[in-house]
Amino acid sequence: METRFLGKSGLKISVLSFGTMTFGGSDFFQEIGATQVDEAQHLIDICLDAGVNIFDTADVYSNGLSEEILGKALGKRRSDVIIATKAYGRMGKGANDTGLSRYHLIRACEDSLRRLTLFCHSRQRKNRNKGY
């Protein structure tokens, strides 16, 4: 698989990515697909064997279920891939549950990390130093 640098980030990503809009299949996304963890693991295996190392998802895909399935399906292989997610879409009924405000984006990132079963190292270090 051909790879390219992602801007000036230093990250090398495959020229092809794998989209996970079909993972989950709840609400509106049921019409698009309903891929569950077992099938997702198989698809991810195919991608990794072919050299794909970037996976695209979004918090709004099946109300976060797509991210949960991707996290479970990747398991320990998480360190082998780049995950790109989106955070603009509405994830609740509140006034700040959508958009590009700092408040919404921080909450969306934290929620995505939780759903993907990942965690933020820098935040844990900060909290550890503060005693909580």
Side-chain angles (χ1 to χ4, degrees), residues 76-119:
K76 295 182 182 203
R77 300 174 295 178
R78 167 58 186 102
S79 61
D80 298 332
V81 302
I82 304 297
I83 297 174
T85 191
K86 296 171 264 325
Y88 174 82
R90 179 162 294 284
M91 288 299 289
K93 295 180 181 180
N96 294 305
D97 290 337
T98 187
L100 297 175
S101 70
R102 181 178 191 274
Y103 175 81
H104 176 73
L105 289 177
I106 288 171
R107 282 188 44 211
C109 288
E110 290 172 345
D111 291 344
S112 287
L113 289 170
R114 179 185 43 77
R115 285 189 293 268
L116 288 159
T117 61
L118 304 172
F119 54 93

Side-chain angles (χ1 to χ4, degrees), residues 4-60:
R4 296 183 183 153
F5 283 105
L6 180 61
K8 295 182 181 183
S9 70
L11 292 173
K12 283 186 116 176
I13 60 169
S14 53
V15 294
L16 298 177
S17 65
F18 183 81
T20 64
M21 186 183 283
T22 62
F23 288 10
S26 67
D27 301 324
F28 163 81
F29 292 93
Q30 187 174 12
E31 298 297 321
I32 297 169
T35 303
Q36 297 303 310
V37 176
D38 291 342
E39 187 179 1
Q41 286 173 328
H42 178 68
L43 294 169
I44 288 169
D45 288 342
I46 292 169
C47 289
L48 293 174
D49 288 347
V52 173
N53 74 341
I54 184 165
F55 292 81
D56 172 74
T57 190
D59 57 2
V60 295

